[in-house]
Amino acid sequence: MTTVARPSLSPGTGDEQVTAERDETKYLLPADRLEGLAAALTNRMAPHRFTGEGSNRLPGAHHFITTVYFDTPSRAHLRAAAADPDRSVKIRAKEYYDIHPSLAELATDPKQIVRYQPWLWFELKRREGIHTSKRRFRLPKADVPSFFAEGRVTPQARDGQADQQVELQEIADYCKSQGDHLAATCLVNYRRLSWQEPDGTLRVTMDLGLAYYAAPPDLWTRRQALVRSTLGPVRGKEPRAVIEVKRVAPVPAWLEEALAQSGAMPDRFSKFVAAGQTVWGDG
């Protein structure tokens, strides 16, 4: 399969269009059915690669995401999402990193084959049926505790994000409105493949090798990427791939046919619910 990198959020791009407001349908697909679907996607859409600030331009990288989910001590968000996956609010932060297997034989330190950005993308995601909206901004890991405790973002973190001040304030206001202190409750790590139309009206992502973790104690103090081998004991795994079709226009007929031929069926799967229930029991 073709390896791609993370989504960009440069203002005015197709990425921004498909990220902020969209319809989203999820599918689960066994690993032995992926090749046909990936080939169909590559024949009709371009593999998606991030080219913005801090992007990794080296070829042949495997792209990964570690998502940190936040909740109240009573796990109110987990309980609500488990009760009705079609209407939920999620508070999360994502770290994107790339691993270069081709450099493994040359590396003298495992860190040399990992490329990552020194910040997290902090997100507030709301779902109503198949419609989702997302607000996000960039935040250094070290600033996360003060953001939750005080709703404060350092001047350094605000630099270069003038266009994201509305998103930042909306997320800060939501966190303050919860009353109870929000904290990291579980993590999900996975490899991502992505395809996108040039105008940003359609994106298809394929997430592989999902693994679930409790929040490690050094989550906000570590000076390394949140790579799988550093997250502690694996609490659970999802052997199937999670396919997401993210769109601002109707699903094209060729994609519906490719999904049907692969055996993919719509599913209400939630990474947050799967990880949270694995780490905390039934939530």
Side-chain angles (χ1 to χ4, degrees):
M1 297 181 188
T2 304
T3 303
V4 295
R6 66 190 71 81
S8 167
L9 286 173
S10 301
T13 66
D15 293 312
E16 184 184 55
Q17 181 181 10
V18 79
T19 299
E21 304 283 342
R22 68 196 184 199
D23 289 343
E24 182 178 287
T25 308
K26 297 180 181 180
Y27 304 80
L28 293 178
L29 192 60
D32 61 359
R33 306 299 299 273
L34 296 178
E35 292 294 342
L37 178 59
L41 291 169
T42 301
N43 286 338
R44 300 298 296 261
M45 300 173 69
H48 185 235
R49 184 175 181 85
F50 172 68
T51 57
E53 180 187 358
S55 62
N56 179 5
R57 300 179 183 273
L58 294 176
H62 291 185
H63 174 55
F64 290 83
I65 300 174
T66 296
T67 302
V68 182
Y69 289 99
F70 299 84
D71 210 341
T72 62
S74 64
R75 299 192 289 281
H77 291 79
L78 174 60
R79 295 177 189 278
D84 188 356
D86 291 332
R87 288 174 175 79
S88 62
V89 178
K90 298 171 185 174
I91 306 292
R92 65 192 188 189
K94 290 185 175 182
E95 180 175 88
Y96 301 90
Y97 67 91
D98 295 333
I99 291 180
H100 293 268
S102 61
L103 301 180
E105 293 185 2
L106 303 176
T108 57
D109 186 322
K111 296 178 182 178
Q112 293 175 342
I113 65 173
V114 178
R115 297 291 183 92
Y116 73 106
Q117 298 170 331
W119 53 70
L120 300 175
W121 285 100
F122 201 84
E123 300 179 344
L124 169 64
K125 182 178 181 180
R126 294 185 172 95
R127 171 180 285 275
E128 287 287 338
I130 65 170
H131 183 74
T132 65
S133 64
K134 185 190 296 183
R135 303 292 180 263
R136 71 186 324 206
F137 68 93
R138 196 175 74 191
L139 191 67
K141 286 185 210 175
D143 286 355
V144 174
S146 61
F147 175 77
F148 276 114
E150 308 166 24
R152 180 172 58 85
V153 178
T154 63
Q156 293 82 0
R158 292 179 182 272
D159 288 346
Q161 298 195 85
D163 58 303
Q164 294 180 317
Q165 295 307 302
V166 173
E167 287 84 353
L168 191 158
Q169 192 60 52
E170 182 176 346
I171 297 174
D173 290 344
Y174 178 83
C175 293
K176 288 180 180 179
S177 74
Q178 297 307 291
D180 288 338
H181 177 67
L182 288 164
T185 60
C186 58
L187 283 69
V188 184
N189 177 272
Y190 48 96
R191 182 183 173 192
R192 168 161 287 185
L193 306 177
S194 180
W195 296 261
Q196 181 170 303
E197 294 286 10
D199 62 1
T201 58
L202 176 67
R203 179 186 295 165
V204 182
T205 58
M206 185 181 290
D207 295 338
L208 313 173
L210 273 68
Y212 311 135
Y213 302 85
D218 66 338
L219 184 59
W220 310 126
T221 58
R222 61 173 59 194
R223 295 186 178 181
Q224 63 193 59
L226 298 174
V227 299
R228 180 174 300 219
S229 60
T230 70
L231 299 180
V234 178
R235 299 297 185 89
K237 294 182 178 181
E238 171 53 61
R240 296 164 295 181
V242 179
I243 313 299
E244 297 183 36
V245 177
K246 310 166 186 185
R247 63 195 186 277
V248 294
V251 178
W254 70 263
L255 179 54
E256 290 184 333
E257 181 179 354
L259 289 164
Q261 289 182 348
S262 71
M265 296 293 292
D267 196 282
R268 300 169 76 196
F269 181 82
S270 165
K271 295 184 182 79
F272 174 39
V273 173
Q277 289 184 337
T278 299
V279 171
W280 295 100
D282 63 6

PDB file of all heavy atoms in Angstrom, residues 92-124:
ATOM      1  N   ARG A  92      -9.984  15.618  22.510  1.00  0.00           N
ATOM      2  CA  ARG A  92      -8.836  14.765  22.232  1.00  0.00           C
ATOM      3  C   ARG A  92      -7.664  15.592  21.735  1.00  0.00           C
ATOM      4  O   ARG A  92      -7.817  16.744  21.339  1.00  0.00           O
ATOM      5  CB  ARG A  92      -9.209  13.701  21.198  1.00  0.00           C
ATOM      6  CG  ARG A  92      -9.545  14.261  19.822  1.00  0.00           C
ATOM      7  CD  ARG A  92     -10.169  13.213  18.935  1.00  0.00           C
ATOM      8  NE  ARG A  92     -10.326  13.689  17.569  1.00  0.00           N
ATOM      9  CZ  ARG A  92     -10.994  13.036  16.616  1.00  0.00           C
ATOM     10  NH1 ARG A  92     -11.561  11.867  16.895  1.00  0.00           N
ATOM     11  NH2 ARG A  92     -11.079  13.534  15.397  1.00  0.00           N
ATOM     12  N   ALA A  93      -6.494  14.971  21.755  1.00  0.00           N
ATOM     13  CA  ALA A  93      -5.288  15.577  21.201  1.00  0.00           C
ATOM     14  C   ALA A  93      -4.584  14.525  20.365  1.00  0.00           C
ATOM     15  O   ALA A  93      -4.515  13.357  20.760  1.00  0.00           O
ATOM     16  CB  ALA A  93      -4.373  16.086  22.315  1.00  0.00           C
ATOM     17  N   LYS A  94      -4.061  14.932  19.214  1.00  0.00           N
ATOM     18  CA  LYS A  94      -3.401  13.996  18.311  1.00  0.00           C
ATOM     19  C   LYS A  94      -1.944  14.375  18.107  1.00  0.00           C
ATOM     20  O   LYS A  94      -1.630  15.553  17.910  1.00  0.00           O
ATOM     21  CB  LYS A  94      -4.100  13.980  16.950  1.00  0.00           C
ATOM     22  CG  LYS A  94      -5.480  13.343  16.962  1.00  0.00           C
ATOM     23  CD  LYS A  94      -6.040  13.269  15.551  1.00  0.00           C
ATOM     24  CE  LYS A  94      -7.356  12.525  15.516  1.00  0.00           C
ATOM     25  NZ  LYS A  94      -7.887  12.414  14.136  1.00  0.00           N
ATOM     26  N   GLU A  95      -1.091  13.370  18.163  1.00  0.00           N
ATOM     27  CA  GLU A  95       0.289  13.553  17.752  1.00  0.00           C
ATOM     28  C   GLU A  95       0.529  12.705  16.511  1.00  0.00           C
ATOM     29  O   GLU A  95       0.192  11.519  16.477  1.00  0.00           O
ATOM     30  CB  GLU A  95       1.269  13.131  18.843  1.00  0.00           C
ATOM     31  CG  GLU A  95       2.722  13.332  18.415  1.00  0.00           C
ATOM     32  CD  GLU A  95       3.724  13.040  19.523  1.00  0.00           C
ATOM     33  OE1 GLU A  95       4.127  11.863  19.646  1.00  0.00           O
ATOM     34  OE2 GLU A  95       4.089  13.963  20.259  1.00  0.00           O
ATOM     35  N   TYR A  96       1.125  13.329  15.487  1.00  0.00           N
ATOM     36  CA  TYR A  96       1.425  12.661  14.230  1.00  0.00           C
ATOM     37  C   TYR A  96       2.927  12.406  14.164  1.00  0.00           C
ATOM     38  O   TYR A  96       3.722  13.290  14.460  1.00  0.00           O
ATOM     39  CB  TYR A  96       1.011  13.541  13.046  1.00  0.00           C
ATOM     40  CG  TYR A  96      -0.454  13.908  13.035  1.00  0.00           C
ATOM     41  CD1 TYR A  96      -0.901  15.064  13.669  1.00  0.00           C
ATOM     42  CD2 TYR A  96      -1.391  13.112  12.388  1.00  0.00           C
ATOM     43  CE1 TYR A  96      -2.247  15.410  13.659  1.00  0.00           C
ATOM     44  CE2 TYR A  96      -2.730  13.448  12.366  1.00  0.00           C
ATOM     45  CZ  TYR A  96      -3.156  14.596  13.003  1.00  0.00           C
ATOM     46  OH  TYR A  96      -4.482  14.935  12.994  1.00  0.00           O
ATOM     47  N   TYR A  97       3.293  11.207  13.767  1.00  0.00           N
ATOM     48  CA  TYR A  97       4.723  10.928  13.607  1.00  0.00           C
ATOM     49  C   TYR A  97       4.930   9.932  12.472  1.00  0.00           C
ATOM     50  O   TYR A  97       4.016   9.191  12.087  1.00  0.00           O
ATOM     51  CB  TYR A  97       5.347  10.420  14.908  1.00  0.00           C
ATOM     52  CG  TYR A  97       4.892   9.065  15.384  1.00  0.00           C
ATOM     53  CD1 TYR A  97       5.572   7.899  15.008  1.00  0.00           C
ATOM     54  CD2 TYR A  97       3.796   8.931  16.238  1.00  0.00           C
ATOM     55  CE1 TYR A  97       5.170   6.658  15.461  1.00  0.00           C
ATOM     56  CE2 TYR A  97       3.387   7.691  16.693  1.00  0.00           C
ATOM     57  CZ  TYR A  97       4.074   6.558  16.306  1.00  0.00           C
ATOM     58  OH  TYR A  97       3.669   5.319  16.759  1.00  0.00           O
ATOM     59  N   ASP A  98       6.128   9.959  11.924  1.00  0.00           N
ATOM     60  CA  ASP A  98       6.494   9.075  10.827  1.00  0.00           C
ATOM     61  C   ASP A  98       7.657   8.189  11.250  1.00  0.00           C
ATOM     62  O   ASP A  98       8.569   8.638  11.954  1.00  0.00           O
ATOM     63  CB  ASP A  98       6.925   9.865   9.586  1.00  0.00           C
ATOM     64  CG  ASP A  98       5.786  10.674   8.996  1.00  0.00           C
ATOM     65  OD1 ASP A  98       4.627  10.266   9.170  1.00  0.00           O
ATOM     66  OD2 ASP A  98       6.061  11.717   8.369  1.00  0.00           O
ATOM     67  N   ILE A  99       7.623   6.934  10.816  1.00  0.00           N
ATOM     68  CA  ILE A  99       8.729   6.008  11.023  1.00  0.00           C
ATOM     69  C   ILE A  99       9.282   5.621   9.654  1.00  0.00           C
ATOM     70  O   ILE A  99       8.525   5.339   8.727  1.00  0.00           O
ATOM     71  CB  ILE A  99       8.269   4.756  11.793  1.00  0.00           C
ATOM     72  CG1 ILE A  99       7.931   5.129  13.242  1.00  0.00           C
ATOM     73  CG2 ILE A  99       9.337   3.673  11.764  1.00  0.00           C
ATOM     74  CD1 ILE A  99       7.474   3.969  14.092  1.00  0.00           C
ATOM     75  N   HIS A 100      10.612   5.612   9.558  1.00  0.00           N
ATOM     76  CA  HIS A 100      11.284   5.299   8.301  1.00  0.00           C
ATOM     77  C   HIS A 100      11.952   3.930   8.396  1.00  0.00           C
ATOM     78  O   HIS A 100      13.103   3.829   8.822  1.00  0.00           O
ATOM     79  CB  HIS A 100      12.327   6.373   7.971  1.00  0.00           C
ATOM     80  CG  HIS A 100      11.728   7.701   7.659  1.00  0.00           C
ATOM     81  ND1 HIS A 100      11.404   8.086   6.383  1.00  0.00           N
ATOM     82  CD2 HIS A 100      11.372   8.728   8.463  1.00  0.00           C
ATOM     83  CE1 HIS A 100      10.882   9.305   6.412  1.00  0.00           C
ATOM     84  NE2 HIS A 100      10.857   9.707   7.662  1.00  0.00           N
ATOM     85  N   PRO A 101      11.250   2.857   8.020  1.00  0.00           N
ATOM     86  CA  PRO A 101      11.850   1.515   8.106  1.00  0.00           C
ATOM     87  C   PRO A 101      13.137   1.389   7.295  1.00  0.00           C
ATOM     88  O   PRO A 101      14.041   0.634   7.661  1.00  0.00           O
ATOM     89  CB  PRO A 101      10.746   0.605   7.546  1.00  0.00           C
ATOM     90  CG  PRO A 101       9.489   1.390   7.706  1.00  0.00           C
ATOM     91  CD  PRO A 101       9.870   2.823   7.523  1.00  0.00           C
ATOM     92  N   SER A 102      13.251   2.135   6.186  1.00  0.00           N
ATOM     93  CA  SER A 102      14.427   2.020   5.322  1.00  0.00           C
ATOM     94  C   SER A 102      15.697   2.518   5.997  1.00  0.00           C
ATOM     95  O   SER A 102      16.805   2.202   5.565  1.00  0.00           O
ATOM     96  CB  SER A 102      14.206   2.796   4.026  1.00  0.00           C
ATOM     97  OG  SER A 102      14.000   4.177   4.292  1.00  0.00           O
ATOM     98  N   LEU A 103      15.524   3.308   7.078  1.00  0.00           N
ATOM     99  CA  LEU A 103      16.690   3.843   7.778  1.00  0.00           C
ATOM    100  C   LEU A 103      17.103   2.976   8.970  1.00  0.00           C
ATOM    101  O   LEU A 103      18.087   3.292   9.643  1.00  0.00           O
ATOM    102  CB  LEU A 103      16.393   5.263   8.271  1.00  0.00           C
ATOM    103  CG  LEU A 103      16.018   6.298   7.204  1.00  0.00           C
ATOM    104  CD1 LEU A 103      15.748   7.646   7.856  1.00  0.00           C
ATOM    105  CD2 LEU A 103      17.129   6.424   6.161  1.00  0.00           C
ATOM    106  N   ALA A 104      16.352   1.904   9.221  1.00  0.00           N
ATOM    107  CA  ALA A 104      16.581   1.127  10.433  1.00  0.00           C
ATOM    108  C   ALA A 104      17.994   0.559  10.504  1.00  0.00           C
ATOM    109  O   ALA A 104      18.620   0.545  11.575  1.00  0.00           O
ATOM    110  CB  ALA A 104      15.551  -0.004  10.519  1.00  0.00           C
ATOM    111  N   GLU A 105      18.524   0.087   9.380  1.00  0.00           N
ATOM    112  CA  GLU A 105      19.847  -0.523   9.398  1.00  0.00           C
ATOM    113  C   GLU A 105      20.959   0.503   9.598  1.00  0.00           C
ATOM    114  O   GLU A 105      22.052   0.150  10.036  1.00  0.00           O
ATOM    115  CB  GLU A 105      20.071  -1.284   8.088  1.00  0.00           C
ATOM    116  CG  GLU A 105      19.171  -2.499   7.929  1.00  0.00           C
ATOM    117  CD  GLU A 105      19.507  -3.290   6.684  1.00  0.00           C
ATOM    118  OE1 GLU A 105      20.458  -2.901   5.976  1.00  0.00           O
ATOM    119  OE2 GLU A 105      18.827  -4.300   6.418  1.00  0.00           O
ATOM    120  N   LEU A 106      20.679   1.771   9.274  1.00  0.00           N
ATOM    121  CA  LEU A 106      21.700   2.811   9.403  1.00  0.00           C
ATOM    122  C   LEU A 106      21.643   3.521  10.746  1.00  0.00           C
ATOM    123  O   LEU A 106      22.611   4.167  11.147  1.00  0.00           O
ATOM    124  CB  LEU A 106      21.525   3.843   8.281  1.00  0.00           C
ATOM    125  CG  LEU A 106      21.583   3.303   6.842  1.00  0.00           C
ATOM    126  CD1 LEU A 106      21.292   4.426   5.857  1.00  0.00           C
ATOM    127  CD2 LEU A 106      22.944   2.671   6.561  1.00  0.00           C
ATOM    128  N   ALA A 107      20.508   3.424  11.425  1.00  0.00           N
ATOM    129  CA  ALA A 107      20.317   4.185  12.659  1.00  0.00           C
ATOM    130  C   ALA A 107      21.117   3.581  13.811  1.00  0.00           C
ATOM    131  O   ALA A 107      21.174   2.367  13.986  1.00  0.00           O
ATOM    132  CB  ALA A 107      18.837   4.225  13.017  1.00  0.00           C
ATOM    133  N   THR A 108      21.739   4.448  14.603  1.00  0.00           N
ATOM    134  CA  THR A 108      22.427   4.017  15.818  1.00  0.00           C
ATOM    135  C   THR A 108      21.559   4.230  17.049  1.00  0.00           C
ATOM    136  O   THR A 108      21.894   3.783  18.137  1.00  0.00           O
ATOM    137  CB  THR A 108      23.751   4.795  15.986  1.00  0.00           C
ATOM    138  OG1 THR A 108      23.467   6.206  16.008  1.00  0.00           O
ATOM    139  CG2 THR A 108      24.695   4.486  14.823  1.00  0.00           C
ATOM    140  N   ASP A 109      20.446   4.938  16.869  1.00  0.00           N
ATOM    141  CA  ASP A 109      19.500   5.212  17.942  1.00  0.00           C
ATOM    142  C   ASP A 109      18.103   5.096  17.336  1.00  0.00           C
ATOM    143  O   ASP A 109      17.848   5.657  16.257  1.00  0.00           O
ATOM    144  CB  ASP A 109      19.709   6.625  18.497  1.00  0.00           C
ATOM    145  CG  ASP A 109      18.845   6.915  19.712  1.00  0.00           C
ATOM    146  OD1 ASP A 109      17.689   6.471  19.739  1.00  0.00           O
ATOM    147  OD2 ASP A 109      19.319   7.620  20.621  1.00  0.00           O
ATOM    148  N   PRO A 110      17.159   4.369  17.988  1.00  0.00           N
ATOM    149  CA  PRO A 110      15.807   4.225  17.435  1.00  0.00           C
ATOM    150  C   PRO A 110      15.135   5.565  17.111  1.00  0.00           C
ATOM    151  O   PRO A 110      14.316   5.644  16.206  1.00  0.00           O
ATOM    152  CB  PRO A 110      15.054   3.485  18.544  1.00  0.00           C
ATOM    153  CG  PRO A 110      16.103   2.727  19.274  1.00  0.00           C
ATOM    154  CD  PRO A 110      17.327   3.606  19.234  1.00  0.00           C
ATOM    155  N   LYS A 111      15.508   6.624  17.849  1.00  0.00           N
ATOM    156  CA  LYS A 111      14.898   7.926  17.609  1.00  0.00           C
ATOM    157  C   LYS A 111      15.233   8.471  16.220  1.00  0.00           C
ATOM    158  O   LYS A 111      14.545   9.344  15.706  1.00  0.00           O
ATOM    159  CB  LYS A 111      15.365   8.924  18.674  1.00  0.00           C
ATOM    160  CG  LYS A 111      14.919   8.585  20.088  1.00  0.00           C
ATOM    161  CD  LYS A 111      15.467   9.582  21.086  1.00  0.00           C
ATOM    162  CE  LYS A 111      15.076   9.225  22.516  1.00  0.00           C
ATOM    163  NZ  LYS A 111      15.664  10.171  23.499  1.00  0.00           N
ATOM    164  N   GLN A 112      16.305   7.957  15.612  1.00  0.00           N
ATOM    165  CA  GLN A 112      16.727   8.470  14.319  1.00  0.00           C
ATOM    166  C   GLN A 112      15.778   8.076  13.191  1.00  0.00           C
ATOM    167  O   GLN A 112      15.813   8.678  12.119  1.00  0.00           O
ATOM    168  CB  GLN A 112      18.145   7.985  14.005  1.00  0.00           C
ATOM    169  CG  GLN A 112      19.202   8.562  14.928  1.00  0.00           C
ATOM    170  CD  GLN A 112      20.584   7.976  14.673  1.00  0.00           C
ATOM    171  OE1 GLN A 112      20.724   6.925  14.046  1.00  0.00           O
ATOM    172  NE2 GLN A 112      21.620   8.659  15.145  1.00  0.00           N
ATOM    173  N   ILE A 113      14.947   7.067  13.392  1.00  0.00           N
ATOM    174  CA  ILE A 113      14.021   6.667  12.339  1.00  0.00           C
ATOM    175  C   ILE A 113      12.623   7.234  12.562  1.00  0.00           C
ATOM    176  O   ILE A 113      11.697   6.919  11.807  1.00  0.00           O
ATOM    177  CB  ILE A 113      13.955   5.134  12.194  1.00  0.00           C
ATOM    178  CG1 ILE A 113      13.363   4.489  13.442  1.00  0.00           C
ATOM    179  CG2 ILE A 113      15.333   4.561  11.890  1.00  0.00           C
ATOM    180  CD1 ILE A 113      13.119   2.988  13.273  1.00  0.00           C
ATOM    181  N   VAL A 114      12.474   8.060  13.602  1.00  0.00           N
ATOM    182  CA  VAL A 114      11.179   8.665  13.913  1.00  0.00           C
ATOM    183  C   VAL A 114      11.248  10.161  13.663  1.00  0.00           C
ATOM    184  O   VAL A 114      12.175  10.841  14.128  1.00  0.00           O
ATOM    185  CB  VAL A 114      10.782   8.408  15.390  1.00  0.00           C
ATOM    186  CG1 VAL A 114       9.457   9.084  15.703  1.00  0.00           C
ATOM    187  CG2 VAL A 114      10.694   6.914  15.662  1.00  0.00           C
ATOM    188  N   ARG A 115      10.282  10.686  12.931  1.00  0.00           N
ATOM    189  CA  ARG A 115      10.154  12.122  12.726  1.00  0.00           C
ATOM    190  C   ARG A 115       8.807  12.560  13.292  1.00  0.00           C
ATOM    191  O   ARG A 115       7.778  11.942  12.999  1.00  0.00           O
ATOM    192  CB  ARG A 115      10.201  12.463  11.228  1.00  0.00           C
ATOM    193  CG  ARG A 115      11.532  12.112  10.543  1.00  0.00           C
ATOM    194  CD  ARG A 115      12.657  13.018  11.019  1.00  0.00           C
ATOM    195  NE  ARG A 115      13.905  12.733  10.320  1.00  0.00           N
ATOM    196  CZ  ARG A 115      14.302  13.345   9.199  1.00  0.00           C
ATOM    197  NH1 ARG A 115      13.536  14.272   8.644  1.00  0.00           N
ATOM    198  NH2 ARG A 115      15.447  13.039   8.632  1.00  0.00           N
ATOM    199  N   TYR A 116       8.799  13.638  14.076  1.00  0.00           N
ATOM    200  CA  TYR A 116       7.533  14.114  14.635  1.00  0.00           C
ATOM    201  C   TYR A 116       7.617  15.601  14.911  1.00  0.00           C
ATOM    202  O   TYR A 116       8.716  16.186  14.931  1.00  0.00           O
ATOM    203  CB  TYR A 116       7.180  13.361  15.911  1.00  0.00           C
ATOM    204  CG  TYR A 116       8.019  13.711  17.127  1.00  0.00           C
ATOM    205  CD1 TYR A 116       7.489  14.493  18.154  1.00  0.00           C
ATOM    206  CD2 TYR A 116       9.329  13.255  17.266  1.00  0.00           C
ATOM    207  CE1 TYR A 116       8.252  14.804  19.272  1.00  0.00           C
ATOM    208  CE2 TYR A 116      10.088  13.553  18.370  1.00  0.00           C
ATOM    209  CZ  TYR A 116       9.544  14.335  19.370  1.00  0.00           C
ATOM    210  OH  TYR A 116      10.295  14.655  20.462  1.00  0.00           O
ATOM    211  N   GLN A 117       6.457  16.212  15.121  1.00  0.00           N
ATOM    212  CA  GLN A 117       6.378  17.628  15.433  1.00  0.00           C
ATOM    213  C   GLN A 117       6.320  17.818  16.948  1.00  0.00           C
ATOM    214  O   GLN A 117       5.747  16.981  17.647  1.00  0.00           O
ATOM    215  CB  GLN A 117       5.134  18.246  14.786  1.00  0.00           C
ATOM    216  CG  GLN A 117       5.139  18.160  13.273  1.00  0.00           C
ATOM    217  CD  GLN A 117       3.807  18.562  12.669  1.00  0.00           C
ATOM    218  OE1 GLN A 117       2.759  18.416  13.278  1.00  0.00           O
ATOM    219  NE2 GLN A 117       3.847  19.076  11.455  1.00  0.00           N
ATOM    220  N   PRO A 118       6.869  18.907  17.476  1.00  0.00           N
ATOM    221  CA  PRO A 118       6.926  19.101  18.935  1.00  0.00           C
ATOM    222  C   PRO A 118       5.636  19.674  19.526  1.00  0.00           C
ATOM    223  O   PRO A 118       5.671  20.450  20.467  1.00  0.00           O
ATOM    224  CB  PRO A 118       8.088  20.092  19.089  1.00  0.00           C
ATOM    225  CG  PRO A 118       8.010  20.929  17.859  1.00  0.00           C
ATOM    226  CD  PRO A 118       7.597  19.969  16.758  1.00  0.00           C
ATOM    227  N   TRP A 119       4.507  19.323  18.962  1.00  0.00           N
ATOM    228  CA  TRP A 119       3.227  19.820  19.470  1.00  0.00           C
ATOM    229  C   TRP A 119       2.141  18.780  19.209  1.00  0.00           C
ATOM    230  O   TRP A 119       2.316  17.827  18.469  1.00  0.00           O
ATOM    231  CB  TRP A 119       2.855  21.145  18.824  1.00  0.00           C
ATOM    232  CG  TRP A 119       2.869  21.126  17.320  1.00  0.00           C
ATOM    233  CD1 TRP A 119       1.992  20.483  16.489  1.00  0.00           C
ATOM    234  CD2 TRP A 119       3.821  21.763  16.462  1.00  0.00           C
ATOM    235  NE1 TRP A 119       2.331  20.678  15.181  1.00  0.00           N
ATOM    236  CE2 TRP A 119       3.444  21.466  15.132  1.00  0.00           C
ATOM    237  CE3 TRP A 119       4.946  22.570  16.693  1.00  0.00           C
ATOM    238  CZ2 TRP A 119       4.161  21.941  14.035  1.00  0.00           C
ATOM    239  CZ3 TRP A 119       5.652  23.025  15.591  1.00  0.00           C
ATOM    240  CH2 TRP A 119       5.266  22.724  14.287  1.00  0.00           C
ATOM    241  N   LEU A 120       0.998  18.995  19.858  1.00  0.00           N
ATOM    242  CA  LEU A 120      -0.184  18.180  19.635  1.00  0.00           C
ATOM    243  C   LEU A 120      -1.237  19.030  18.939  1.00  0.00           C
ATOM    244  O   LEU A 120      -1.255  20.257  19.083  1.00  0.00           O
ATOM    245  CB  LEU A 120      -0.761  17.689  20.969  1.00  0.00           C
ATOM    246  CG  LEU A 120       0.136  16.833  21.852  1.00  0.00           C
ATOM    247  CD1 LEU A 120      -0.569  16.553  23.173  1.00  0.00           C
ATOM    248  CD2 LEU A 120       0.492  15.532  21.167  1.00  0.00           C
ATOM    249  N   TRP A 121      -2.107  18.370  18.194  1.00  0.00           N
ATOM    250  CA  TRP A 121      -3.285  19.045  17.649  1.00  0.00           C
ATOM    251  C   TRP A 121      -4.446  18.742  18.584  1.00  0.00           C
ATOM    252  O   TRP A 121      -4.873  17.601  18.719  1.00  0.00           O
ATOM    253  CB  TRP A 121      -3.578  18.567  16.232  1.00  0.00           C
ATOM    254  CG  TRP A 121      -2.631  19.138  15.233  1.00  0.00           C
ATOM    255  CD1 TRP A 121      -1.542  18.535  14.676  1.00  0.00           C
ATOM    256  CD2 TRP A 121      -2.681  20.456  14.678  1.00  0.00           C
ATOM    257  NE1 TRP A 121      -0.910  19.390  13.811  1.00  0.00           N
ATOM    258  CE2 TRP A 121      -1.588  20.574  13.785  1.00  0.00           C
ATOM    259  CE3 TRP A 121      -3.537  21.545  14.842  1.00  0.00           C
ATOM    260  CZ2 TRP A 121      -1.326  21.741  13.075  1.00  0.00           C
ATOM    261  CZ3 TRP A 121      -3.289  22.707  14.123  1.00  0.00           C
ATOM    262  CH2 TRP A 121      -2.197  22.796  13.257  1.00  0.00           C
ATOM    263  N   PHE A 122      -4.916  19.771  19.243  1.00  0.00           N
ATOM    264  CA  PHE A 122      -5.958  19.650  20.244  1.00  0.00           C
ATOM    265  C   PHE A 122      -7.306  19.857  19.568  1.00  0.00           C
ATOM    266  O   PHE A 122      -7.488  20.808  18.815  1.00  0.00           O
ATOM    267  CB  PHE A 122      -5.722  20.708  21.328  1.00  0.00           C
ATOM    268  CG  PHE A 122      -6.374  20.399  22.626  1.00  0.00           C
ATOM    269  CD1 PHE A 122      -5.758  19.575  23.532  1.00  0.00           C
ATOM    270  CD2 PHE A 122      -7.607  20.936  22.931  1.00  0.00           C
ATOM    271  CE1 PHE A 122      -6.360  19.293  24.739  1.00  0.00           C
ATOM    272  CE2 PHE A 122      -8.223  20.655  24.121  1.00  0.00           C
ATOM    273  CZ  PHE A 122      -7.600  19.836  25.036  1.00  0.00           C
ATOM    274  N   GLU A 123      -8.281  18.969  19.840  1.00  0.00           N
ATOM    275  CA  GLU A 123      -9.528  18.986  19.072  1.00  0.00           C
ATOM    276  C   GLU A 123     -10.764  18.861  19.959  1.00  0.00           C
ATOM    277  O   GLU A 123     -10.761  18.150  20.967  1.00  0.00           O
ATOM    278  CB  GLU A 123      -9.552  17.832  18.068  1.00  0.00           C
ATOM    279  CG  GLU A 123      -8.432  17.854  17.057  1.00  0.00           C
ATOM    280  CD  GLU A 123      -8.489  16.688  16.094  1.00  0.00           C
ATOM    281  OE1 GLU A 123      -9.215  15.700  16.379  1.00  0.00           O
ATOM    282  OE2 GLU A 123      -7.808  16.756  15.053  1.00  0.00           O
ATOM    283  N   LEU A 124     -11.814  19.546  19.528  1.00  0.00           N
ATOM    284  CA  LEU A 124     -13.160  19.363  20.058  1.00  0.00           C
ATOM    285  C   LEU A 124     -14.005  18.887  18.882  1.00  0.00           C
ATOM    286  O   LEU A 124     -14.199  19.612  17.905  1.00  0.00           O
ATOM    287  CB  LEU A 124     -13.712  20.680  20.608  1.00  0.00           C
ATOM    288  CG  LEU A 124     -15.205  20.713  20.966  1.00  0.00           C
ATOM    289  CD1 LEU A 124     -15.505  19.755  22.108  1.00  0.00           C
ATOM    290  CD2 LEU A 124     -15.639  22.128  21.324  1.00  0.00           C
TER     291      LEU A 124
END
